[in-house]
Structure formats: structure tokens, C-alpha cells
Amino acid sequence: MPLKPFPHDRDYGEMEQVLDAYLGETADDTPEERSTALEGYLRHTWHTRPWAISIAARQLAEFAKYPPSDVRIRLGEYFHLPDVELPQEEVQGWLECVAGHLRASVDSAEAPEYLPPQTHWEWHARFPELGQLFGGWFSQGMPEEFGDYARAVADYRASTAPGLVSRLIGELHELLGLDLDEADYAVATVELGMEVEPPDSLSHGAWLAALPGLLAGQGGD
């Protein structure tokens, strides 16, 4: 039987967050340098849940030192390590390397510079409600399902708790506050799940700037 939620979270929950940050990225950490994926995890976590970094370091180190036994594997009561595209014989050393970087980050108390997100995981970790809106309401099927952008936004607003709508508006202001160039705004919308072009020949930046008013029920598209 699979692990129940409590033992999973106690033993592997934050470790899983770290490993999720590597999806689509290269696990190329060395003792001297952190990977792009680990930089993204640290950048976000230092500014949101700094206490979790030491938990991740402990869980990774313990998993590397005590991998699941044959009995637990047969029972299915173990954490399934995702494929990080490393040879099996290198995984244990890599886990120890990542744990060491996490410990060193906590010991030095030096958070990475708070830059715009650099990985897919970091975009979604920093802007979760934008990911919900773009991935759920602005997929390729949006024109057939809703007809136009204003109706899609209205449906999101009507079906989402007001507190989450307010959080989304806050995320939009935070994203716009990064003062990205137009190409980077386009990257942001794609990373967050938007599969259609902005309406009325608007640039991606202009569309993002118009969204808070639409979400507040002010005007059409």
C-alpha cells in the first residue's frame, strides 16, 4: 500500500518540493556550484518558507543514507524518487550534494537575489493563481468554450472564491512590478499555461496590465 499522507509529509514532503524543482531541468549540481533548479528552489523558499530549507536538507540526507529497503519496496510503502536523468550509481552522491548545498545556505543565511523566476517550477511556485487562471481558462480551447477573453475572465471570477481572486490580482501586480521586457512577459504567460495570444492585438505586457481591471469587473476585453 502507498504511504499515507502524514508519514509521507513528515519524511519526504519538503524533499519532494526540491525534487519537483528539477522537473525539466538538469541535475548538474557539483560540490562547488548549485544547479539552476536548486537556485530556483532556494530563491523562492528563502523568501516564502525559509524554515523549510533545513527540513529539506535533513530529508534528502536521510534518504541518501537510508534508501528504502526491499521489504518496503515490495509493500509499496516508500517514496518513489523521480527520474532526474542521472545514472543510478550517481543518485546517492547527488542527493548528498544537494543536501550539503541546502545546509550551507542555511548556515550562511545568504538568500539568493530575488530575481524573476528562472524555471518552470519557480514560475508556478511564485504565481500559483496565475497558473490556475492561464492553465485552466486560457488553453487552446478557450475560444470554443467561452467565445472571448472577457467571458473567460468572468467565468473564472464567478467560479473562484473572492479571496483567491484578490490573491490573483496581487500576483499580477507583482509580476508587472518585475518590469520585464515584452519577450519576458510572453515567456511568463507561456510558462504559466496560457496557450492563446492576447486579445485585440495587445502585447503580452498590455494584456497583463489590463487583467486586474477585468478581474475587478471593470470593463470588457
PDB file of all heavy atoms in Angstrom, residues 107-124:
ATOM      1  N   ASP A 107      23.282  27.712   6.876  1.00  0.00           N
ATOM      2  CA  ASP A 107      24.371  28.114   7.777  1.00  0.00           C
ATOM      3  C   ASP A 107      24.897  29.508   7.450  1.00  0.00           C
ATOM      4  O   ASP A 107      25.255  30.282   8.343  1.00  0.00           O
ATOM      5  CB  ASP A 107      25.514  27.102   7.701  1.00  0.00           C
ATOM      6  CG  ASP A 107      25.171  25.783   8.377  1.00  0.00           C
ATOM      7  OD1 ASP A 107      24.230  25.765   9.199  1.00  0.00           O
ATOM      8  OD2 ASP A 107      25.831  24.771   8.080  1.00  0.00           O
ATOM      9  N   SER A 108      24.954  29.834   6.156  1.00  0.00           N
ATOM     10  CA  SER A 108      25.467  31.142   5.759  1.00  0.00           C
ATOM     11  C   SER A 108      24.407  32.241   5.865  1.00  0.00           C
ATOM     12  O   SER A 108      24.742  33.426   5.895  1.00  0.00           O
ATOM     13  CB  SER A 108      25.985  31.095   4.321  1.00  0.00           C
ATOM     14  OG  SER A 108      24.913  30.911   3.401  1.00  0.00           O
ATOM     15  N   ALA A 109      23.124  31.821   5.924  1.00  0.00           N
ATOM     16  CA  ALA A 109      21.999  32.765   5.977  1.00  0.00           C
ATOM     17  C   ALA A 109      22.031  33.742   4.808  1.00  0.00           C
ATOM     18  O   ALA A 109      21.638  34.892   4.935  1.00  0.00           O
ATOM     19  CB  ALA A 109      21.975  33.525   7.300  1.00  0.00           C
ATOM     20  N   GLU A 110      22.490  33.257   3.648  1.00  0.00           N
ATOM     21  CA  GLU A 110      22.554  34.099   2.457  1.00  0.00           C
ATOM     22  C   GLU A 110      21.505  33.633   1.447  1.00  0.00           C
ATOM     23  O   GLU A 110      21.638  32.583   0.837  1.00  0.00           O
ATOM     24  CB  GLU A 110      23.947  34.042   1.836  1.00  0.00           C
ATOM     25  CG  GLU A 110      25.024  34.697   2.691  1.00  0.00           C
ATOM     26  CD  GLU A 110      26.378  34.691   2.014  1.00  0.00           C
ATOM     27  OE1 GLU A 110      26.461  34.199   0.853  1.00  0.00           O
ATOM     28  OE2 GLU A 110      27.344  35.155   2.637  1.00  0.00           O
ATOM     29  N   ALA A 111      20.461  34.431   1.292  1.00  0.00           N
ATOM     30  CA  ALA A 111      19.415  34.109   0.325  1.00  0.00           C
ATOM     31  C   ALA A 111      19.834  34.561  -1.061  1.00  0.00           C
ATOM     32  O   ALA A 111      20.438  35.626  -1.215  1.00  0.00           O
ATOM     33  CB  ALA A 111      18.109  34.796   0.708  1.00  0.00           C
ATOM     34  N   PRO A 112      19.534  33.770  -2.109  1.00  0.00           N
ATOM     35  CA  PRO A 112      19.816  34.233  -3.471  1.00  0.00           C
ATOM     36  C   PRO A 112      19.066  35.518  -3.772  1.00  0.00           C
ATOM     37  O   PRO A 112      18.007  35.796  -3.209  1.00  0.00           O
ATOM     38  CB  PRO A 112      19.296  33.075  -4.345  1.00  0.00           C
ATOM     39  CG  PRO A 112      19.273  31.882  -3.452  1.00  0.00           C
ATOM     40  CD  PRO A 112      18.952  32.413  -2.086  1.00  0.00           C
ATOM     41  N   GLU A 113      19.628  36.314  -4.656  1.00  0.00           N
ATOM     42  CA  GLU A 113      18.974  37.553  -5.059  1.00  0.00           C
ATOM     43  C   GLU A 113      17.583  37.247  -5.602  1.00  0.00           C
ATOM     44  O   GLU A 113      17.387  36.283  -6.331  1.00  0.00           O
ATOM     45  CB  GLU A 113      19.814  38.252  -6.129  1.00  0.00           C
ATOM     46  CG  GLU A 113      19.265  39.596  -6.563  1.00  0.00           C
ATOM     47  CD  GLU A 113      20.122  40.257  -7.637  1.00  0.00           C
ATOM     48  OE1 GLU A 113      21.161  39.668  -8.010  1.00  0.00           O
ATOM     49  OE2 GLU A 113      19.738  41.337  -8.109  1.00  0.00           O
ATOM     50  N   TYR A 114      16.601  38.082  -5.240  1.00  0.00           N
ATOM     51  CA  TYR A 114      15.208  37.819  -5.608  1.00  0.00           C
ATOM     52  C   TYR A 114      14.957  38.275  -7.039  1.00  0.00           C
ATOM     53  O   TYR A 114      14.341  39.324  -7.291  1.00  0.00           O
ATOM     54  CB  TYR A 114      14.268  38.519  -4.639  1.00  0.00           C
ATOM     55  CG  TYR A 114      12.898  37.877  -4.549  1.00  0.00           C
ATOM     56  CD1 TYR A 114      12.744  36.499  -4.629  1.00  0.00           C
ATOM     57  CD2 TYR A 114      11.766  38.652  -4.353  1.00  0.00           C
ATOM     58  CE1 TYR A 114      11.494  35.918  -4.520  1.00  0.00           C
ATOM     59  CE2 TYR A 114      10.513  38.072  -4.238  1.00  0.00           C
ATOM     60  CZ  TYR A 114      10.382  36.706  -4.329  1.00  0.00           C
ATOM     61  OH  TYR A 114       9.142  36.117  -4.227  1.00  0.00           O
ATOM     62  N   LEU A 115      15.404  37.491  -7.984  1.00  0.00           N
ATOM     63  CA  LEU A 115      15.264  37.777  -9.408  1.00  0.00           C
ATOM     64  C   LEU A 115      13.917  37.276  -9.917  1.00  0.00           C
ATOM     65  O   LEU A 115      13.219  36.527  -9.226  1.00  0.00           O
ATOM     66  CB  LEU A 115      16.392  37.079 -10.174  1.00  0.00           C
ATOM     67  CG  LEU A 115      17.815  37.456  -9.797  1.00  0.00           C
ATOM     68  CD1 LEU A 115      18.792  36.521 -10.512  1.00  0.00           C
ATOM     69  CD2 LEU A 115      18.102  38.907 -10.150  1.00  0.00           C
ATOM     70  N   PRO A 116      13.525  37.638 -11.147  1.00  0.00           N
ATOM     71  CA  PRO A 116      12.366  36.986 -11.758  1.00  0.00           C
ATOM     72  C   PRO A 116      12.584  35.477 -11.836  1.00  0.00           C
ATOM     73  O   PRO A 116      13.725  35.004 -11.892  1.00  0.00           O
ATOM     74  CB  PRO A 116      12.312  37.618 -13.160  1.00  0.00           C
ATOM     75  CG  PRO A 116      12.987  38.939 -13.004  1.00  0.00           C
ATOM     76  CD  PRO A 116      14.076  38.710 -11.997  1.00  0.00           C
ATOM     77  N   PRO A 117      11.520  34.693 -11.826  1.00  0.00           N
ATOM     78  CA  PRO A 117      11.659  33.233 -11.920  1.00  0.00           C
ATOM     79  C   PRO A 117      12.501  32.806 -13.121  1.00  0.00           C
ATOM     80  O   PRO A 117      12.420  33.409 -14.188  1.00  0.00           O
ATOM     81  CB  PRO A 117      10.215  32.749 -12.041  1.00  0.00           C
ATOM     82  CG  PRO A 117       9.415  33.804 -11.352  1.00  0.00           C
ATOM     83  CD  PRO A 117      10.099  35.094 -11.684  1.00  0.00           C
ATOM     84  N   GLN A 118      13.270  31.749 -12.911  1.00  0.00           N
ATOM     85  CA  GLN A 118      14.154  31.251 -13.957  1.00  0.00           C
ATOM     86  C   GLN A 118      13.777  29.855 -14.455  1.00  0.00           C
ATOM     87  O   GLN A 118      14.325  29.395 -15.454  1.00  0.00           O
ATOM     88  CB  GLN A 118      15.596  31.209 -13.428  1.00  0.00           C
ATOM     89  CG  GLN A 118      16.099  32.548 -12.909  1.00  0.00           C
ATOM     90  CD  GLN A 118      16.193  33.598 -13.988  1.00  0.00           C
ATOM     91  OE1 GLN A 118      16.846  33.374 -15.011  1.00  0.00           O
ATOM     92  NE2 GLN A 118      15.537  34.725 -13.789  1.00  0.00           N
ATOM     93  N   THR A 119      12.873  29.169 -13.756  1.00  0.00           N
ATOM     94  CA  THR A 119      12.487  27.813 -14.151  1.00  0.00           C
ATOM     95  C   THR A 119      10.965  27.685 -14.140  1.00  0.00           C
ATOM     96  O   THR A 119      10.256  28.504 -13.530  1.00  0.00           O
ATOM     97  CB  THR A 119      13.063  26.758 -13.191  1.00  0.00           C
ATOM     98  OG1 THR A 119      12.441  26.886 -11.902  1.00  0.00           O
ATOM     99  CG2 THR A 119      14.580  26.916 -13.043  1.00  0.00           C
ATOM    100  N   HIS A 120      10.467  26.638 -14.784  1.00  0.00           N
ATOM    101  CA  HIS A 120       9.022  26.385 -14.822  1.00  0.00           C
ATOM    102  C   HIS A 120       8.473  26.220 -13.407  1.00  0.00           C
ATOM    103  O   HIS A 120       7.424  26.789 -13.068  1.00  0.00           O
ATOM    104  CB  HIS A 120       8.760  25.129 -15.659  1.00  0.00           C
ATOM    105  CG  HIS A 120       7.311  24.786 -15.809  1.00  0.00           C
ATOM    106  ND1 HIS A 120       6.469  25.481 -16.657  1.00  0.00           N
ATOM    107  CD2 HIS A 120       6.545  23.832 -15.210  1.00  0.00           C
ATOM    108  CE1 HIS A 120       5.247  24.966 -16.580  1.00  0.00           C
ATOM    109  NE2 HIS A 120       5.262  23.970 -15.716  1.00  0.00           N
ATOM    110  N   TRP A 121       9.169  25.450 -12.583  1.00  0.00           N
ATOM    111  CA  TRP A 121       8.715  25.252 -11.199  1.00  0.00           C
ATOM    112  C   TRP A 121       8.636  26.573 -10.464  1.00  0.00           C
ATOM    113  O   TRP A 121       7.669  26.842  -9.738  1.00  0.00           O
ATOM    114  CB  TRP A 121       9.680  24.315 -10.465  1.00  0.00           C
ATOM    115  CG  TRP A 121       9.329  24.121  -9.024  1.00  0.00           C
ATOM    116  CD1 TRP A 121       8.505  23.177  -8.493  1.00  0.00           C
ATOM    117  CD2 TRP A 121       9.759  24.922  -7.904  1.00  0.00           C
ATOM    118  NE1 TRP A 121       8.396  23.322  -7.125  1.00  0.00           N
ATOM    119  CE2 TRP A 121       9.161  24.390  -6.744  1.00  0.00           C
ATOM    120  CE3 TRP A 121      10.602  26.031  -7.777  1.00  0.00           C
ATOM    121  CZ2 TRP A 121       9.373  24.933  -5.475  1.00  0.00           C
ATOM    122  CZ3 TRP A 121      10.819  26.579  -6.515  1.00  0.00           C
ATOM    123  CH2 TRP A 121      10.212  26.027  -5.380  1.00  0.00           C
ATOM    124  N   GLU A 122       9.640  27.419 -10.641  1.00  0.00           N
ATOM    125  CA  GLU A 122       9.670  28.681  -9.908  1.00  0.00           C
ATOM    126  C   GLU A 122       8.554  29.620 -10.347  1.00  0.00           C
ATOM    127  O   GLU A 122       7.967  30.327  -9.518  1.00  0.00           O
ATOM    128  CB  GLU A 122      11.030  29.353 -10.080  1.00  0.00           C
ATOM    129  CG  GLU A 122      11.277  30.482  -9.095  1.00  0.00           C
ATOM    130  CD  GLU A 122      12.642  31.122  -9.262  1.00  0.00           C
ATOM    131  OE1 GLU A 122      13.430  30.688 -10.138  1.00  0.00           O
ATOM    132  OE2 GLU A 122      12.917  32.084  -8.524  1.00  0.00           O
ATOM    133  N   TRP A 123       8.219  29.647 -11.637  1.00  0.00           N
ATOM    134  CA  TRP A 123       7.092  30.467 -12.097  1.00  0.00           C
ATOM    135  C   TRP A 123       5.814  30.055 -11.374  1.00  0.00           C
ATOM    136  O   TRP A 123       5.051  30.897 -10.889  1.00  0.00           O
ATOM    137  CB  TRP A 123       6.915  30.336 -13.602  1.00  0.00           C
ATOM    138  CG  TRP A 123       7.821  31.199 -14.423  1.00  0.00           C
ATOM    139  CD1 TRP A 123       8.860  30.801 -15.211  1.00  0.00           C
ATOM    140  CD2 TRP A 123       7.768  32.637 -14.548  1.00  0.00           C
ATOM    141  NE1 TRP A 123       9.464  31.887 -15.804  1.00  0.00           N
ATOM    142  CE2 TRP A 123       8.811  33.019 -15.415  1.00  0.00           C
ATOM    143  CE3 TRP A 123       6.941  33.615 -14.013  1.00  0.00           C
ATOM    144  CZ2 TRP A 123       9.045  34.363 -15.764  1.00  0.00           C
ATOM    145  CZ3 TRP A 123       7.170  34.949 -14.343  1.00  0.00           C
ATOM    146  CH2 TRP A 123       8.210  35.308 -15.205  1.00  0.00           C
ATOM    147  N   HIS A 124       5.573  28.752 -11.296  1.00  0.00           N
ATOM    148  CA  HIS A 124       4.319  28.294 -10.688  1.00  0.00           C
ATOM    149  C   HIS A 124       4.338  28.414  -9.169  1.00  0.00           C
ATOM    150  O   HIS A 124       3.290  28.653  -8.559  1.00  0.00           O
ATOM    151  CB  HIS A 124       4.027  26.859 -11.126  1.00  0.00           C
ATOM    152  CG  HIS A 124       3.479  26.780 -12.510  1.00  0.00           C
ATOM    153  ND1 HIS A 124       2.132  26.769 -12.778  1.00  0.00           N
ATOM    154  CD2 HIS A 124       4.105  26.743 -13.718  1.00  0.00           C
ATOM    155  CE1 HIS A 124       1.942  26.720 -14.093  1.00  0.00           C
ATOM    156  NE2 HIS A 124       3.122  26.698 -14.681  1.00  0.00           N
TER     157      HIS A 124
END
